[in-house]
């Protein structure tokens, strides 16, 4: 590696996250796609904030478009790589709270990724 190259983290999409992400409006895909690239090269995009409830190393990217909110939740817990756990449009009618189904899905996918990594590491 030359001194001008930046080591890049690998990007993994869990479950239906990539398919769901690709259904976002194009401006949102571009914005969050660039943000995910910044994460891959070790940066912290301004749209990143910690995801509460699952401990350190889990974050969300948030973008608003035409009155709708879109999120991509990812973790950096596994060997420093980026695992996108879920991508979804927030549709909660009750304030800023994330719907329980989305929270549960993120938690399940994180457990699967952590277990898969544990099994491959011996």
């Amino acid at each position: 590696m030359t001194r001008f190259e930046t080591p890049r983290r690998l990007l993994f999409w869990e479950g239906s996250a990539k398919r769901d992400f690709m259904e976002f409006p194009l401006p949102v895909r571009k914005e969050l796609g660039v943000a995910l690239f910044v994460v891959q090269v070790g940066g912290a995009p301004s749209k990143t904030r910690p995801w509460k409830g699952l401990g350190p190393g889990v974050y969300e990217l948030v973008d608003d478009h035409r009155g709708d909110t879109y999120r991509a939740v990812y973790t950096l817990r596994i060997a420093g790589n980026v695992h996108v756990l879920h991508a979804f449009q927030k549709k909660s009618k009750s304030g800023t709270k994330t719907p329980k189904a989305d929270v549960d899905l993120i938690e399940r996918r994180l457990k699967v990724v952590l277990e898969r990594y544990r099994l491959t590491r011996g």
Side-chain angles (χ1 to χ4, degrees):
M1 177 179 334
T2 69
R3 65 186 176 119
F4 299 108
E5 290 180 33
T6 304
R8 191 181 303 179
R9 298 170 169 154
L10 299 176
L11 178 67
F12 299 95
W13 297 88
E14 303 300 330
S16 63
K18 186 170 186 178
R19 183 177 60 237
D20 298 336
F21 185 86
M22 295 306 292
E23 292 179 8
F24 289 177
L26 183 59
V28 175
R29 288 196 319 258
K30 285 181 176 182
E31 187 74 24
L32 296 184
V34 167
L36 283 170
F37 177 75
V38 170
V39 171
Q40 279 186 272
V41 296
S46 61
K47 294 188 174 286
T48 299
R49 58 186 182 204
W51 178 263
K52 295 180 173 110
L54 294 178
V58 180
Y59 304 92
E60 68 176 331
L61 295 167
V62 180
D63 194 33
D64 294 314
H65 179 71
R66 295 187 178 178
D68 293 319
T69 301
Y70 297 86
R71 296 180 176 180
V73 178
Y74 67 93
T75 185
L76 296 172
R77 282 190 193 171
I78 298 93
N81 291 316
V82 182
H83 289 260
V84 181
L85 302 171
H86 189 30
F88 61 104
Q89 178 183 354
K90 187 181 161 302
K91 295 180 180 178
S92 175
K93 304 293 185 215
S94 58
T96 61
K97 193 163 185 161
T98 303
K100 184 170 175 13
D102 290 309
V103 172
D104 291 346
L105 179 61
I106 292 163
E107 186 173 344
R108 279 194 315 272
R109 286 185 179 165
L110 178 61
K111 285 179 183 178
V112 167
V113 170
L114 291 171
E115 180 64 15
R116 185 172 65 226
Y117 181 72
R118 187 187 67 75
L119 290 174
T120 60
R121 298 291 295 175

